[in-house]
Coordinates of all heavy atoms in Angstrom, one line a residue:
M1 N -35.0 -45.4 -30.1 CA -36.4 -45.4 -30.0 C -36.8 -46.2 -28.8 O -36.2 -47.2 -28.6 CB -37.0 -46.0 -31.3 CG -38.5 -46.0 -31.4 SD -39.3 -46.9 -32.7 CE -38.4 -46.3 -34.1
E2 N -37.9 -45.7 -28.2 CA -38.4 -46.5 -27.0 C -38.9 -47.9 -27.5 O -39.4 -48.0 -28.6 CB -39.5 -45.8 -26.4 CG -39.1 -44.5 -25.7 CD -40.3 -43.8 -25.0 OE1 -41.3 -44.5 -24.7 OE2 -40.2 -42.6 -24.9
S3 N -38.8 -48.8 -26.6 CA -39.2 -50.2 -27.0 C -40.7 -50.3 -27.4 O -41.0 -51.0 -28.3 CB -38.9 -51.2 -25.9 OG -39.6 -50.9 -24.8
I4 N -41.5 -49.5 -26.7 CA -43.0 -49.6 -27.1 C -43.2 -49.0 -28.5 O -44.0 -49.6 -29.2 CB -43.9 -48.9 -26.0 CG1 -45.3 -49.3 -26.2 CG2 -43.7 -47.4 -26.0 CD1 -45.6 -50.7 -25.7
A5 N -42.5 -48.0 -28.8 CA -42.7 -47.4 -30.1 C -42.2 -48.4 -31.2 O -42.7 -48.5 -32.3 CB -42.0 -46.0 -30.2
E6 N -41.1 -49.0 -30.8 CA -40.5 -50.0 -31.8 C -41.5 -51.2 -32.0 O -41.6 -51.7 -33.1 CB -39.2 -50.5 -31.2 CG -38.3 -51.2 -32.2 CD -36.9 -51.4 -31.8 OE1 -36.5 -50.7 -30.8 OE2 -36.3 -52.3 -32.3
E7 N -42.1 -51.6 -30.9 CA -43.1 -52.7 -31.0 C -44.3 -52.3 -31.9 O -44.7 -53.1 -32.7 CB -43.7 -53.1 -29.6 CG -42.8 -53.9 -28.7 CD -43.5 -54.3 -27.5 OE1 -44.5 -55.0 -27.5 OE2 -42.9 -54.0 -26.4
I8 N -44.7 -51.1 -31.7 CA -45.8 -50.6 -32.5 C -45.4 -50.5 -34.0 O -46.1 -51.0 -34.9 CB -46.3 -49.2 -32.0 CG1 -46.9 -49.3 -30.6 CG2 -47.3 -48.5 -33.0 CD1 -47.2 -48.0 -29.9
L9 N -44.2 -50.0 -34.2 CA -43.7 -49.9 -35.6 C -43.6 -51.3 -36.3 O -44.0 -51.4 -37.4 CB -42.3 -49.2 -35.6 CG -41.7 -49.0 -37.0 CD1 -42.6 -48.2 -37.9 CD2 -40.3 -48.5 -36.9
N10 N -43.1 -52.2 -35.5 CA -43.0 -53.6 -36.1 C -44.4 -54.2 -36.5 O -44.5 -54.8 -37.5 CB -42.2 -54.5 -35.2 CG -40.8 -54.2 -35.1 OD1 -40.2 -53.6 -36.0 ND2 -40.2 -54.5 -34.0
L11 N -45.3 -54.0 -35.6 CA -46.7 -54.5 -35.9 C -47.3 -53.7 -37.0 O -48.0 -54.3 -37.9 CB -47.6 -54.4 -34.6 CG -49.0 -55.0 -34.7 CD1 -48.9 -56.4 -35.2 CD2 -49.7 -54.9 -33.4
V12 N -47.1 -52.4 -37.1 CA -47.6 -51.6 -38.2 C -47.0 -52.1 -39.5 O -47.7 -52.3 -40.5 CB -47.3 -50.1 -38.0 CG1 -47.5 -49.3 -39.3 CG2 -48.2 -49.5 -36.9
K13 N -45.7 -52.3 -39.6 CA -45.1 -52.9 -40.8 C -45.7 -54.2 -41.2 O -45.9 -54.4 -42.4 CB -43.6 -53.0 -40.6 CG -42.8 -51.7 -40.5 CD -41.4 -52.0 -40.4 CE -40.5 -50.8 -40.1 NZ -39.1 -51.2 -39.9
K14 N -45.9 -55.1 -40.2 CA -46.5 -56.4 -40.5 C -47.9 -56.2 -41.1 O -48.3 -56.8 -42.1 CB -46.6 -57.2 -39.2 CG -47.1 -58.6 -39.4 CD -47.1 -59.3 -38.1 CE -47.7 -60.7 -38.3 NZ -47.8 -61.5 -37.1
K15 N -48.7 -55.3 -40.5 CA -50.1 -55.0 -41.0 C -50.0 -54.4 -42.4 O -50.9 -54.7 -43.3 CB -50.8 -54.1 -40.1 CG -51.2 -54.7 -38.8 CD -51.9 -53.7 -37.9 CE -52.4 -54.2 -36.6 NZ -53.2 -53.3 -35.9
M16 N -49.0 -53.6 -42.7 CA -48.9 -53.0 -44.0 C -48.7 -54.1 -45.1 O -49.3 -54.0 -46.1 CB -47.7 -52.0 -44.1 CG -47.9 -50.7 -43.3 SD -46.5 -49.6 -43.2 CE -46.5 -49.0 -44.9
V17 N -47.9 -55.0 -44.8 CA -47.6 -56.1 -45.7 C -48.9 -57.0 -45.9 O -49.3 -57.3 -47.0 CB -46.4 -57.0 -45.2 CG1 -46.3 -58.3 -46.0 CG2 -45.1 -56.2 -45.2
E18 N -49.5 -57.3 -44.8 CA -50.7 -58.2 -44.8 C -51.8 -57.5 -45.6 O -52.6 -58.2 -46.3 CB -51.2 -58.5 -43.4 CG -50.3 -59.4 -42.6 CD -50.7 -59.5 -41.2 OE1 -51.6 -58.8 -40.7 OE2 -50.1 -60.4 -40.5
Q19 N -52.0 -56.2 -45.5 CA -53.0 -55.5 -46.1 C -52.6 -54.8 -47.5 O -53.4 -54.2 -48.1 CB -53.6 -54.4 -45.2 CG -54.2 -55.0 -43.9 CD -54.7 -53.9 -42.9 OE1 -54.9 -52.8 -43.3 NE2 -54.8 -54.3 -41.7
A20 N -51.3 -55.0 -47.8 CA -50.8 -54.3 -49.0 C -51.1 -52.8 -49.0 O -51.6 -52.3 -50.0 CB -51.3 -55.0 -50.3
A21 N -51.0 -52.2 -47.8 CA -51.3 -50.8 -47.7 C -50.0 -50.0 -47.4 O -49.5 -50.0 -46.3 CB -52.2 -50.7 -46.4
Y22 N -49.5 -49.4 -48.5 CA -48.2 -48.8 -48.5 C -48.3 -47.2 -48.6 O -47.3 -46.6 -48.7 CB -47.3 -49.3 -49.6 CG -47.1 -50.8 -49.4 CD1 -47.7 -51.7 -50.3 CD2 -46.3 -51.3 -48.4 CE1 -47.5 -53.1 -50.1 CE2 -46.1 -52.7 -48.2 CZ -46.7 -53.6 -49.1 OH -46.5 -54.9 -48.9
S23 N -49.5 -46.6 -48.5 CA -49.6 -45.2 -48.6 C -49.3 -44.5 -47.2 O -49.4 -45.2 -46.2 CB -50.9 -44.8 -49.1 OG -51.9 -45.0 -48.1
R24 N -49.0 -43.3 -47.2 CA -48.8 -42.5 -46.0 C -50.1 -42.5 -45.2 O -50.0 -42.7 -43.9 CB -48.4 -41.1 -46.3 CG -48.0 -40.3 -45.1 CD -47.5 -38.9 -45.5 NE -46.8 -38.2 -44.4 CZ -47.4 -37.6 -43.4 NH1 -48.8 -37.6 -43.3 NH2 -46.8 -37.1 -42.4
D25 N -51.2 -42.4 -45.8 CA -52.5 -42.4 -45.1 C -52.8 -43.7 -44.4 O -53.2 -43.8 -43.3 CB -53.7 -42.0 -46.0 CG -53.7 -40.6 -46.4 OD1 -53.1 -39.7 -45.7 OD2 -54.3 -40.2 -47.5
A26 N -52.5 -44.8 -45.1 CA -52.6 -46.1 -44.6 C -51.7 -46.3 -43.4 O -52.1 -46.9 -42.4 CB -52.4 -47.2 -45.6
Y27 N -50.5 -45.8 -43.5 CA -49.5 -45.9 -42.4 C -50.0 -45.2 -41.2 O -50.0 -45.8 -40.1 CB -48.2 -45.3 -42.9 CG -47.0 -45.3 -41.9 CD1 -46.4 -46.4 -41.5 CD2 -46.6 -44.0 -41.5 CE1 -45.4 -46.4 -40.6 CE2 -45.5 -44.0 -40.5 CZ -44.9 -45.1 -40.1 OH -43.9 -45.1 -39.2
K28 N -50.5 -44.0 -41.4 CA -51.0 -43.2 -40.3 C -52.2 -43.9 -39.6 O -52.3 -44.0 -38.4 CB -51.4 -41.8 -40.7 CG -52.0 -40.9 -39.6 CD -52.2 -39.5 -40.1 CE -52.8 -38.6 -39.1 NZ -52.4 -38.6 -37.8
E29 N -53.1 -44.5 -40.4 CA -54.3 -45.2 -39.9 C -53.9 -46.4 -39.1 O -54.4 -46.7 -38.0 CB -55.2 -45.6 -41.1 CG -56.5 -46.1 -40.6 CD -57.4 -46.4 -41.8 OE1 -57.6 -45.5 -42.7 OE2 -58.0 -47.5 -41.9
L30 N -52.9 -47.1 -39.6 CA -52.4 -48.3 -38.9 C -51.7 -48.0 -37.6 O -51.8 -48.7 -36.6 CB -51.5 -49.1 -39.8 CG -52.2 -49.8 -41.0 CD1 -51.2 -50.4 -42.0 CD2 -53.1 -50.9 -40.5
I31 N -51.0 -46.9 -37.6 CA -50.4 -46.4 -36.3 C -51.5 -46.2 -35.3 O -51.4 -46.6 -34.2 CB -49.5 -45.2 -36.5 CG1 -48.2 -45.5 -37.3 CG2 -49.2 -44.5 -35.2 CD1 -47.4 -44.3 -37.7
E32 N -52.5 -45.4 -35.7 CA -53.6 -45.1 -34.8 C -54.3 -46.3 -34.3 O -54.6 -46.5 -33.1 CB -54.6 -44.1 -35.4 CG -54.0 -42.8 -35.7 CD -54.9 -41.9 -36.6 OE1 -55.9 -42.4 -37.2 OE2 -54.6 -40.7 -36.8
E33 N -54.5 -47.3 -35.2 CA -55.2 -48.5 -34.9 C -54.3 -49.3 -33.9 O -54.9 -49.9 -32.9 CB -55.4 -49.3 -36.2 CG -56.1 -50.6 -36.1 CD -56.2 -51.2 -37.5 OE1 -56.8 -50.7 -38.4 OE2 -55.5 -52.3 -37.7
T34 N -53.0 -49.4 -34.1 CA -52.1 -50.2 -33.3 C -52.0 -49.6 -31.9 O -51.9 -50.3 -30.9 CB -50.8 -50.3 -34.0 OG1 -51.0 -50.9 -35.3 CG2 -49.9 -51.3 -33.2
I35 N -51.9 -48.2 -31.8 CA -51.9 -47.6 -30.5 C -53.1 -47.9 -29.7 O -53.0 -48.2 -28.5 CB -51.7 -46.0 -30.7 CG1 -50.3 -45.7 -31.2 CG2 -52.1 -45.3 -29.4 CD1 -50.0 -44.3 -31.5
L36 N -54.3 -47.9 -30.4 CA -55.5 -48.3 -29.7 C -55.5 -49.7 -29.2 O -55.9 -50.0 -28.1 CB -56.7 -48.1 -30.6 CG -57.2 -46.6 -30.8 CD1 -58.3 -46.6 -31.8 CD2 -57.7 -46.0 -29.5
Y37 N -55.0 -50.6 -30.1 CA -54.8 -52.0 -29.7 C -53.9 -52.2 -28.5 O -54.2 -52.9 -27.6 CB -54.3 -52.8 -30.9 CG -53.9 -54.2 -30.6 CD1 -54.9 -55.2 -30.5 CD2 -52.6 -54.6 -30.5 CE1 -54.6 -56.5 -30.2 CE2 -52.3 -55.9 -30.2 CZ -53.3 -56.8 -30.1 OH -53.0 -58.2 -29.8
F38 N -52.8 -51.5 -28.5 CA -51.8 -51.6 -27.4 C -52.5 -51.0 -26.1 O -52.2 -51.5 -25.0 CB -50.5 -50.8 -27.7 CG -49.5 -51.7 -28.4 CD1 -49.8 -52.4 -29.6 CD2 -48.2 -51.7 -27.9 CE1 -48.9 -53.1 -30.2 CE2 -47.3 -52.5 -28.6 CZ -47.6 -53.2 -29.7
R39 N -53.3 -50.0 -26.2 CA -54.0 -49.4 -25.1 C -55.0 -50.4 -24.5 O -55.1 -50.6 -23.3 CB -54.7 -48.1 -25.5 CG -55.2 -47.3 -24.3 CD -55.6 -45.9 -24.7 NE -54.4 -45.0 -24.6 CZ -53.8 -44.6 -23.5 NH1 -54.3 -44.9 -22.4 NH2 -52.8 -43.8 -23.6
E40 N -55.7 -51.1 -25.4 CA -56.7 -52.1 -25.0 C -56.1 -53.3 -24.3 O -56.6 -53.8 -23.3 CB -57.5 -52.6 -26.2 CG -58.5 -51.6 -26.8 CD -59.1 -52.1 -28.1 OE1 -58.8 -53.2 -28.5 OE2 -59.9 -51.3 -28.7
K41 N -54.9 -53.6 -24.7 CA -54.1 -54.8 -24.2 C -53.4 -54.4 -22.9 O -52.7 -55.2 -22.3 CB -53.2 -55.4 -25.2 CG -53.9 -56.0 -26.4 CD -54.7 -57.2 -25.9 CE -55.4 -57.8 -27.1 NZ -56.4 -58.9 -26.6
G42 N -53.4 -53.1 -22.6 CA -52.7 -52.7 -21.4 C -51.2 -52.4 -21.5 O -50.5 -52.1 -20.6
K43 N -50.7 -52.4 -22.8 CA -49.3 -52.1 -23.0 C -49.1 -50.6 -23.0 O -48.0 -50.2 -22.8 CB -48.9 -52.7 -24.4 CG -48.7 -54.2 -24.4 CD -48.0 -54.7 -25.6 CE -47.7 -56.1 -25.6 NZ -46.8 -56.5 -26.7
L44 N -50.1 -49.8 -23.2 CA -50.1 -48.4 -23.1 C -51.1 -48.0 -22.0 O -52.1 -48.5 -21.9 CB -50.4 -47.7 -24.4 CG -49.4 -47.8 -25.6 CD1 -50.0 -47.2 -26.8 CD2 -48.1 -47.1 -25.2
T45 N -50.7 -47.0 -21.2 CA -51.5 -46.5 -20.1 C -51.7 -45.0 -20.3 O -51.2 -44.4 -21.2 CB -50.9 -46.8 -18.8 OG1 -49.7 -46.1 -18.7 CG2 -50.6 -48.3 -18.6
D46 N -52.5 -44.5 -19.4 CA -52.7 -43.0 -19.4 C -51.4 -42.3 -19.2 O -51.3 -41.1 -19.5 CB -53.7 -42.6 -18.3 CG -55.1 -43.1 -18.6 OD1 -55.4 -43.4 -19.8 OD2 -55.9 -43.2 -17.7
D47 N -50.4 -42.9 -18.6 CA -49.1 -42.3 -18.5 C -48.3 -42.1 -19.8 O -47.4 -41.3 -19.9 CB -48.2 -43.1 -17.5 CG -48.7 -43.1 -16.1 OD1 -49.5 -42.1 -15.7 OD2 -48.4 -44.0 -15.3
D48 N -48.7 -42.9 -20.8 CA -48.1 -42.8 -22.1 C -48.7 -41.7 -22.9 O -49.9 -41.5 -22.9 CB -48.2 -44.2 -22.8 CG -47.4 -45.3 -22.1 OD1 -46.2 -45.2 -22.0 OD2 -48.1 -46.3 -21.7
N49 N -47.9 -41.0 -23.7 CA -48.3 -40.0 -24.5 C -48.5 -40.5 -25.9 O -47.6 -40.6 -26.7 CB -47.3 -38.8 -24.5 CG -47.7 -37.6 -25.2 OD1 -48.6 -37.6 -26.1 ND2 -47.1 -36.5 -24.9
D50 N -49.8 -40.8 -26.3 CA -50.1 -41.4 -27.6 C -49.7 -40.5 -28.7 O -49.2 -40.9 -29.7 CB -51.6 -41.7 -27.6 CG -52.0 -42.8 -26.7 OD1 -51.2 -43.4 -26.0 OD2 -53.2 -43.1 -26.6
E51 N -50.0 -39.2 -28.5 CA -49.7 -38.2 -29.6 C -48.2 -38.2 -29.9 O -47.8 -38.1 -31.0 CB -50.2 -36.8 -29.1 CG -50.2 -35.8 -30.3 CD -50.8 -34.5 -29.8 OE1 -51.9 -34.5 -29.2 OE2 -50.2 -33.5 -30.2
F52 N -47.4 -38.2 -28.8 CA -45.9 -38.2 -29.0 C -45.5 -39.4 -29.7 O -44.7 -39.3 -30.7 CB -45.2 -38.1 -27.6 CG -43.7 -38.2 -27.8 CD1 -43.0 -37.1 -28.2 CD2 -43.1 -39.3 -27.4 CE1 -41.6 -37.2 -28.3 CE2 -41.7 -39.4 -27.6 CZ -41.0 -38.3 -28.0
I53 N -46.0 -40.6 -29.4 CA -45.6 -41.8 -30.0 C -46.1 -41.8 -31.5 O -45.3 -42.1 -32.4 CB -46.3 -43.0 -29.3 CG1 -45.7 -43.2 -27.9 CG2 -46.1 -44.3 -30.1 CD1 -46.4 -44.2 -27.0
E54 N -47.3 -41.3 -31.8 CA -47.7 -41.2 -33.1 C -46.9 -40.2 -33.9 O -46.5 -40.6 -35.1 CB -49.2 -40.7 -33.2 CG -49.8 -40.7 -34.6 CD -51.2 -40.2 -34.6 OE1 -51.9 -40.4 -33.6 OE2 -51.6 -39.7 -35.6
D55 N -46.5 -39.1 -33.4 CA -45.7 -38.1 -34.1 C -44.3 -38.7 -34.3 O -43.7 -38.5 -35.4 CB -45.5 -36.9 -33.2 CG -46.8 -36.0 -33.2 OD1 -47.7 -36.3 -34.0 OD2 -46.8 -35.1 -32.4
Q56 N -43.8 -39.5 -33.4 CA -42.5 -40.1 -33.5 C -42.5 -41.1 -34.7 O -41.6 -41.1 -35.5 CB -42.1 -40.8 -32.2 CG -40.7 -41.4 -32.1 CD -40.5 -42.0 -30.8 OE1 -41.4 -42.4 -30.0 NE2 -39.2 -42.2 -30.4
L57 N -43.6 -41.9 -34.7 CA -43.7 -42.9 -35.8 C -44.0 -42.3 -37.2 O -43.5 -42.7 -38.2 CB -44.7 -43.9 -35.4 CG -44.4 -44.8 -34.2 CD1 -45.6 -45.6 -33.8 CD2 -43.2 -45.7 -34.5
M58 N -44.8 -41.2 -37.2 CA -45.0 -40.5 -38.4 C -43.7 -39.9 -39.0 O -43.5 -39.8 -40.2 CB -46.1 -39.5 -38.3 CG -47.5 -40.0 -38.2 SD -48.0 -41.1 -39.5 CE -47.9 -40.0 -40.9
G59 N -42.9 -39.5 -38.1 CA -41.6 -38.9 -38.5 C -40.7 -40.0 -39.2 O -39.7 -39.6 -39.8
M60 N -41.0 -41.2 -39.0 CA -40.3 -42.3 -39.6 C -40.8 -42.7 -41.0 O -40.3 -43.7 -41.6 CB -40.2 -43.5 -38.7 CG -39.5 -43.1 -37.4 SD -39.4 -44.5 -36.3 CE -38.2 -45.5 -37.2
W61 N -41.9 -42.1 -41.4 CA -42.6 -42.5 -42.7 C -41.6 -42.7 -43.8 O -41.6 -43.7 -44.5 CB -43.7 -41.5 -43.0 CG -44.1 -41.7 -44.4 CD1 -44.1 -40.8 -45.4 CD2 -44.7 -42.8 -45.1 NE1 -44.5 -41.3 -46.6 CE2 -45.0 -42.6 -46.4 CE3 -45.1 -44.1 -44.6 CZ2 -45.5 -43.5 -47.3 CZ3 -45.6 -45.0 -45.5 CH2 -45.9 -44.7 -46.8
E62 N -40.7 -41.7 -44.0 CA -39.8 -41.8 -45.2 C -38.9 -43.0 -45.1 O -38.7 -43.7 -46.1 CB -39.0 -40.5 -45.2 CG -38.3 -40.4 -46.6 CD -37.6 -39.0 -46.7 OE1 -38.3 -38.0 -46.5 OE2 -36.4 -39.0 -46.9
S63 N -38.4 -43.3 -43.9 CA -37.6 -44.5 -43.7 C -38.4 -45.8 -44.0 O -37.9 -46.7 -44.6 CB -37.1 -44.5 -42.3 OG -36.4 -45.7 -42.0
V64 N -39.6 -45.8 -43.5 CA -40.5 -47.0 -43.7 C -40.8 -47.2 -45.2 O -40.7 -48.3 -45.8 CB -41.8 -46.9 -42.9 CG1 -42.8 -48.0 -43.3 CG2 -41.5 -47.0 -41.4
Q65 N -41.1 -46.0 -45.8 CA -41.4 -46.1 -47.3 C -40.2 -46.6 -48.1 O -40.4 -47.4 -49.0 CB -41.8 -44.6 -47.7 CG -42.3 -44.6 -49.2 CD -42.6 -43.1 -49.5 OE1 -42.0 -42.2 -49.1 NE2 -43.5 -43.0 -50.4
N66 N -39.0 -46.1 -47.7 CA -37.8 -46.5 -48.4 C -37.6 -48.0 -48.2 O -37.2 -48.7 -49.1 CB -36.6 -45.7 -48.0 CG -36.6 -44.3 -48.5 OD1 -37.2 -44.0 -49.5 ND2 -35.9 -43.5 -47.8
E67 N -37.8 -48.5 -47.0 CA -37.6 -49.9 -46.7 C -38.5 -50.8 -47.6 O -38.1 -51.8 -48.1 CB -38.0 -50.1 -45.2 CG -37.8 -51.6 -44.8 CD -38.1 -51.8 -43.3 OE1 -38.0 -50.8 -42.5 OE2 -38.6 -52.9 -43.0
F68 N -39.8 -50.4 -47.7 CA -40.7 -51.2 -48.6 C -40.4 -51.0 -50.0 O -40.5 -52.0 -50.8 CB -42.2 -50.8 -48.3 CG -42.6 -51.5 -47.0 CD1 -43.0 -50.7 -45.9 CD2 -42.8 -52.8 -46.9 CE1 -43.4 -51.2 -44.7 CE2 -43.2 -53.4 -45.7 CZ -43.5 -52.6 -44.6
S69 N -39.9 -49.9 -50.5 CA -39.6 -49.7 -51.9 C -38.4 -50.6 -52.3 O -38.3 -51.1 -53.4 CB -39.4 -48.2 -52.3 OG -38.3 -47.7 -51.6
K70 N -37.5 -50.7 -51.4 CA -36.3 -51.6 -51.6 C -36.7 -53.0 -51.7 O -36.1 -53.8 -52.5 CB -35.2 -51.4 -50.6 CG -34.5 -50.0 -50.6 CD -33.6 -49.9 -49.5 CE -32.9 -48.5 -49.6 NZ -32.1 -48.2 -48.4
K71 N -37.7 -53.5 -50.9 CA -38.1 -54.9 -51.0 C -38.8 -55.2 -52.2 O -38.9 -56.4 -52.6 CB -39.1 -55.1 -49.8 CG -38.3 -55.2 -48.4 CD -39.3 -55.5 -47.3 CE -38.5 -55.5 -46.0 NZ -39.4 -55.8 -44.9
K72 N -39.4 -54.2 -52.9 CA -40.2 -54.5 -54.1 C -39.3 -54.7 -55.3 O -39.7 -55.2 -56.3 CB -41.2 -53.3 -54.4 CG -42.3 -53.3 -53.4 CD -43.2 -52.1 -53.7 CE -44.3 -52.0 -52.7 NZ -45.2 -50.8 -52.9
I73 N -38.1 -54.3 -55.2 CA -37.1 -54.3 -56.4 C -36.6 -55.8 -56.5 O -36.4 -56.5 -55.7 CB -35.9 -53.4 -56.2 CG1 -36.4 -51.9 -56.2 CG2 -34.9 -53.6 -57.2 CD1 -35.4 -50.9 -55.8

């Protein structure tokens, strides 16, 4: 995974824990929010494909969901 996508994923996971938001919809919303945040901070530019990054991260939903379900046990 590209480092920027990994950075976004790590921040999304942190936000999920902080907000106790573990649904797929919340995950998607946090990805969109974090991409916008990275864009505002200049970490993402017009050269970056936001849609591709979002699709890549959404494709990891099952893995993220499993990671959090294991932590709850």
Side-chain angles (χ1 to χ4, degrees):
M1 181 188 313
E2 292 182 25
S3 62
I4 195 73
E6 197 169 339
E7 281 185 60
I8 293 170
L9 180 62
N10 289 334
L11 186 53
V12 166
K13 288 181 188 178
K14 183 178 177 183
K15 289 180 178 186
M16 288 174 75
V17 171
E18 290 172 352
Q19 298 177 21
Y22 300 107
S23 71
R24 187 177 192 281
D25 288 339
Y27 177 70
K28 181 173 176 40
E29 189 175 312
L30 289 170
I31 288 172
E32 292 169 352
E33 182 181 296
T34 305
I35 287 173
L36 285 174
Y37 172 75
F38 273 52
R39 189 166 276 285
E40 288 171 2
K41 294 296 179 187
K43 288 189 171 192
L44 288 174
T45 65
D46 290 341
D47 293 336
D48 295 298
N49 186 337
D50 295 356
E51 189 175 318
F52 175 77
I53 294 170
E54 184 178 334
D55 289 346
Q56 188 178 21
L57 293 170
M58 285 306 297
M60 298 183 67
W61 163 243
E62 194 171 305
S63 172
V64 171
Q65 185 181 33
N66 288 338
E67 181 180 330
F68 282 115
S69 66
K70 288 178 184 174
K71 288 181 181 181
K72 291 179 183 177
I73 296 175

